[in-house]
Amino acid sequence: MNHVQSFAFGRGDAQAPVMLSGLDRLGEKLGRRIRALIEPISGIRPHVAAEDARVVEFGAWSAGAPNFCSLSIYRLLPLKGQMLLCMDATMISTLVDCFYGGLGNRALPARGEFTPTEDRLIARLSETIMARMVECWSEVLPLEPGLLLRETGISFAAAAQPADQMVVQRFRVGLDREREWSIDMVFPLAALRGVEALMGSKVASDDEHVDPVWQARVARRMRDIRLPARTVLARPNLSLAELMQLKAGDIIPVTIGRSLPLIVGDRIVAHGTIGEQDGRAAFQIEKIAQGPEQ
């Protein structure tokens, strides 16, 4: 007898590969920025790895989340629904210990709330992570984040129904091989489906951004580059016999055209006429070449 499984249309593992691949590209950029954010706090260079985005039911994700954690709920206009930012409580306590000169290896007692110092670090981290996420998303869609509330556990925040489809973007943060924590960004799948066409577009990486200061310096330097310019007055045709019989004193008749080319390198950049200015021969430009001419 064949094994039969129930299936609900519109749900399940029908992920949107284009949308998820676009989210993965954004995650790679955001992971580098999260590393730069945590490094001054921890005092060492952390390892931050962005996992592939995946679609799960909210109930399945919340079942795997720790009972005590930092949970910030945001509204990201114009996306629909609410986005969750979940950070490991042990990571927060360890970063506070490192920031104040500790090694981050002290034993942490079981508890259900954060200290005021940890609350301040949570606010700093979450707001900065959201700002960096908005920067990464700017290539796809301008977002306007708004904090709705912060809680210390999934059970205190009814952000979605257990059967709702969510997209989880997870970042693994580690200070060494023994200590690793997760930062989860959880989006409603329905919200990302609304921008699926945009997520499939190419997202520029950090290397593709142009430094305006560097660009201005290069432009100024290029203005000082000197290029040889020349013109051709005439192109007489000689037979091979005439060329072999040339001798000093011979005169070759030429006809100077009305419009002469101004050539820079191997490109014709303009046309004009030969004249005189201040007792010297001069070239007057009459027309700029519209396209590259040979």
Side-chain angles (χ1 to χ4, degrees):
M1 182 177 179
N2 294 331
H3 180 66
V4 178
Q5 293 181 341
S6 61
F7 180 81
F9 287 98
R11 293 174 21 203
D13 296 331
Q15 300 183 0
V18 174
M19 174 254 291
L20 293 184
S21 62
L23 199 61
D24 289 341
R25 289 195 297 268
L26 293 173
E28 293 174 1
K29 293 178 58 179
L30 183 55
R32 293 193 292 269
R33 302 188 183 197
I34 291 176
R35 181 175 61 230
L37 168 64
I38 294 178
E39 184 173 359
I41 301 174
S42 63
I44 59 176
R45 186 174 180 84
H47 172 72
V48 179
E51 295 185 357
D52 292 340
R54 55 194 175 93
V55 176
V56 298
E57 290 187 352
F58 180 74
W61 172 79
S62 58
N67 294 327
F68 178 51
C69 61
S70 167
L71 183 68
S72 301
I73 302 178
Y74 287 86
R75 184 175 297 280
L76 290 174
L77 298 178
L79 296 181
K80 298 178 180 179
Q82 300 173 357
M83 189 275 277
L84 287 74
L85 174 63
C86 182
M87 295 186 289
D88 192 288
T90 306
M91 181 189 74
I92 299 299
S93 300
T94 301
L95 291 178
V96 169
D97 187 39
C98 291
F99 184 75
Y100 286 101
L103 299 177
N105 56 357
R106 62 186 178 89
L108 299 174
R111 55 201 176 109
E113 61 181 15
F114 292 103
T115 66
T117 303
E118 290 171 341
D119 282 332
R120 288 194 293 271
L121 179 61
I122 289 171
R124 173 183 172 183
L125 281 176
S126 59
E127 293 301 317
T128 310
I129 289 175
M130 293 301 297
R132 298 296 178 266
M133 189 201 72
V134 170
E135 291 175 1
C136 295
W137 271 71
S138 62
E139 299 290 340
V140 176
L141 179 70
L143 296 178
E144 183 180 344
L147 177 65
L148 298 180
L149 67 130
R150 286 197 178 95
E151 290 292 353
T152 57
I154 304 298
S155 59
F156 297 108
Q161 297 299 318
D164 289 349
Q165 297 284 290
M166 312 295 286
V167 177
V168 179
Q169 188 173 38
R170 174 167 293 176
F171 301 89
R172 290 288 184 182
V173 180
L175 299 183
D176 51 42
R177 294 182 178 180
E178 287 75 28
R179 295 175 292 178
E180 187 180 71
W181 311 281
S182 62
I183 298 176
D184 283 1
M185 306 183 78
V186 185
F187 304 84
L189 177 60
L192 296 186
R193 284 201 183 279
V195 295
E196 185 171 5
L198 298 176
M199 296 295 291
S201 61
K202 182 179 183 296
V203 181
S205 65
D206 290 336
D207 297 336
E208 293 176 349
H209 288 292
V210 177
D211 185 345
V213 176
W214 176 85
Q215 193 176 41
R217 290 176 179 173
V218 171
R220 287 196 298 269
R221 293 293 186 183
M222 290 183 66
R223 294 191 187 102
D224 296 331
I225 297 176
R226 302 187 67 84
L227 300 173
R230 69 185 190 279
T231 188
V232 178
L233 298 181
R235 288 191 174 95
N237 293 318
L238 297 176
S239 66
L240 181 59
E242 292 173 334
L243 183 62
M244 296 177 63
Q245 294 175 3
L246 287 178
K247 59 183 183 295
D250 286 351
I251 297 176
I252 301 174
V254 297
T255 301
I256 299 178
R258 174 65 183 83
S259 180
L260 301 177
L262 178 64
I263 305 170
V264 176
D266 59 352
R267 301 283 182 177
I268 297 177
V269 298
H271 293 85
T273 56
I274 291 294
E276 181 181 341
Q277 185 179 45
D278 299 331
R280 296 188 301 173
F283 185 91
Q284 181 179 10
I285 295 176
E286 297 180 343
K287 183 177 66 173
I288 301 296
Q290 296 300 318
E293 301 181 27
Q294 298 292 341

